[in-house]
Structure formats: structure tokens, C-alpha cells
Amino acid sequence: MLKAIQKQALEHAAQQSCNTPLGSKCSLTINFHPDRTTLSGQPLLAVMAADGHLKSQFETGTSNGGLSAHVGGERWQWEDKAFGGIYNHCAASERPVYGALNYQHHPAGACPRFGSSYFRLRPEVLARSSFCYPDSYFNPQDYSDISGVGHLVALAKQSAEDALDVYVEAQIHGTVELARDVEALVLDPCFKDTEVEVLARQLPCQLEWHAGFAITTEALWQYPHYRGLQYLRLAEQIAEQGVLNPLVIGEALERFDAQDLKKVWHYLARFGYRG
């Protein structure tokens, strides 16, 4: 399944591992916003259904985090360091796809920071994944394969000050095929009876629902300094009848800056899970 370059990258991570196994079963998840569109304006889920596999940031040019997946960009530089330059001259399609280890067994996925919904991958994908903590954006020093991920989980539990930052990032090497590698797509219930649900049912994986993100803007004012007052005011502008949920934020993308709405989402992800 893995190409030679991908095997080399995984072996490079294994050589840095502390050989501290996790000791319990965990799933890999890939959080994202299912109501988003691609750069060409197509619904993201429709493109996924047509492609049959998940793409890296280097292929899509989009991200719910930083936009630096290009030659010389921060994402490129991190992969250069993390994998010893192995991926520097490969095709974009050969680079890893990013997710996180759901060691907390959170029903909304390992990393809600990056989206209200998620793909849960099959257990066998763990064997071809490498890991780091903290997020690769912060240029971490600690890497491992699955044999040493227990060390990274311990670091996360000790170090993370924000509940949105406790995830252990995963880099999945090799193609992530929807039919073969994805166990389920787990959606927020705000997408029931919407186009998102229609498109989700066209994917070759099981569809599930978690308890959902929703909060009143009044409740959010308990946390004025989390991301800033301007984002609480924006939340009040876009809320429907004083309530914020992922669907409301997605609909606001036509009227407001995406980076500002990302901070509003952080508020909802941090304080608004109903489970």
C-alpha cells in the first residue's frame, strides 16, 4: 500500500520514537467543516465523493488552520524537518494527510478546533501513521510512530492549557480511501435535513451523529478574553435567535471574513459542546 518514499518517512518517525505504547485502543479522526466549498466553489463533500479519497493541504490549497502548504512555506518546512527531507521532491498526492489521535475518546473527534464533524478511520490506519506534540505549526521536537505515542499523550496531558490544544497530531502516510480506510463520517446534528446530509449519504462510509455544538451568545460573554471581544460581537451578529451553531457560522462566510469566523468557531468549539 505504501510507496517507498512513504515507508521511509514512517521509518524516520519510528527512529525518533520513545517506545512508549499508549496501552489502550484509540481511533484516528480527521475533523473538518462539512459545509465548506472548494476553491472552485464546489461542495466539499461532493468533491470527496467524486475523488474517493481524502487529500492533503498540498493538493487542495485549503485548510481550517494555517495556509502554508507550498514549497518554502511553514508546512513544507515542518515536513522537511520532521521527515528528514524525504517528501521534498515528491508529488503533492504522496504527502501525508493530517488528523489526530482521539485518546480522550471525545465524541466530537480528537480535534474540534479544526471542525464540527469528522471522519473516524479504521484501526489498521494507525500502523501507517506518525505523530507529534504539539501541533506541527509549533515546530515540535517530539515525534513517534504508534509504538511511542504514549509519550506524546503524556506530554499533551501535562502541557496543554487550552482544551482545544490537547490533541496529538497524526500524519497518515499513504492514500486515505473513503471506502477502505474510513469507518464513519460523524456529523453535527445541525446538518440534519440539509444538503450536507444528502451529500454525506453519497459517501461510501457509515454516517453517524454526535451530540452537537450549540451555545447562546449570552453564555459566551462569560469568556470575553478567550479570543477577544470583537469575536463575541461578531457571534451576536450572526447568531440565530441568540444561538450559535456550526451551520450558522458556515452560512456567515458569505458576509464575513473567514479568519474572523474561525475565532468565533473556536469559542463555540471550546464552550459549546452539548454532550
Side-chain angles (χ1 to χ4, degrees):
M1 182 188 303
L2 292 182
K3 296 183 178 180
I5 193 172
Q6 295 160 342
K7 290 180 180 178
Q8 292 173 24
L10 192 56
E11 289 170 359
H12 185 81
Q15 291 170 3
Q16 303 174 73
S17 175
C18 293
N19 292 319
T20 309
L22 187 58
S24 62
K25 293 183 178 179
C26 298
S27 61
L28 286 177
T29 65
I30 300 175
N31 280 77
F32 71 111
H33 292 294
D35 56 340
R36 301 302 194 257
T37 58
T38 64
L39 293 175
S40 62
Q42 295 175 285
L44 179 60
L45 289 179
V47 172
M48 289 178 174
D51 290 341
H53 65 275
L54 304 183
K55 293 182 176 180
S56 73
Q57 295 175 23
F58 285 89
E59 291 184 90
T60 64
T62 62
S63 171
N64 291 321
L67 295 172
S68 61
H70 53 81
V71 175
E74 291 179 345
R75 173 67 59 192
W76 187 93
Q77 292 180 40
W78 181 81
E79 288 190 3
D80 171 48
K81 176 183 176 182
F83 304 115
I86 291 168
Y87 282 125
N88 284 4
H89 304 291
C90 72
S93 60
E94 295 178 318
R95 287 181 176 269
V97 172
Y98 287 67
L101 182 72
N102 197 6
Y103 67 88
Q104 297 188 102
H105 307 287
H106 196 295
C111 195
R113 166 188 282 273
F114 296 123
S116 68
S117 303
Y118 64 96
F119 288 109
R120 185 176 68 245
L121 305 186
R122 297 187 184 280
E124 49 267 30
V125 181
L126 286 164
R128 55 184 176 98
S129 300
S130 54
F131 304 89
C132 68
Y133 181 81
D135 186 290
S136 52
Y137 175 83
F138 297 104
N139 199 24
Q141 304 299 312
D142 294 283
Y143 316 95
S144 78
D145 63 356
I146 189 59
S147 70
V149 77
H151 169 66
L152 301 180
V153 168
L155 283 177
K157 290 179 177 179
Q158 294 168 6
S159 305
E161 297 180 0
D162 187 332
L164 294 188
D165 295 335
V166 298
Y167 60 94
V168 170
E169 182 183 292
Q171 305 89 40
I172 304 152
H173 303 270
T175 304
V176 180
E177 295 185 6
L178 291 170
R180 181 193 64 201
D181 300 317
V182 175
E183 191 170 71
L185 169 58
V186 187
L187 293 178
D188 188 288
C190 70
F191 296 116
K192 287 184 177 180
D193 301 320
T194 68
E195 182 188 20
V196 168
E197 179 179 358
V198 173
L199 293 174
R201 293 193 181 281
Q202 297 175 14
L203 299 179
C205 60
Q206 184 174 330
L207 177 60
E208 299 176 4
W209 307 88
H210 60 73
F213 292 94
I215 195 169
T216 64
T217 53
E218 181 181 5
L220 284 182
W221 277 98
Q222 299 177 58
Y223 316 102
H225 304 298
Y226 181 63
R227 288 294 186 263
L229 295 177
Q230 66 268 40
Y231 304 113
L232 292 179
R233 297 188 183 102
L234 177 56
E236 287 186 324
Q237 283 185 265
I238 68 174
E240 293 188 357
Q241 298 182 336
V243 176
L244 199 65
N245 66 31
L247 182 61
V248 167
I249 294 176
E251 291 174 340
L253 283 168
E254 296 181 359
R255 298 176 289 135
F256 298 96
D257 180 75
Q259 293 301 308
D260 290 341
L261 289 172
K262 182 171 71 173
K263 298 297 179 61
V264 174
W265 164 247
H266 288 173
Y267 263 108
L268 178 56
R270 175 64 181 85
F271 302 110
Y273 188 66
R274 297 184 296 183

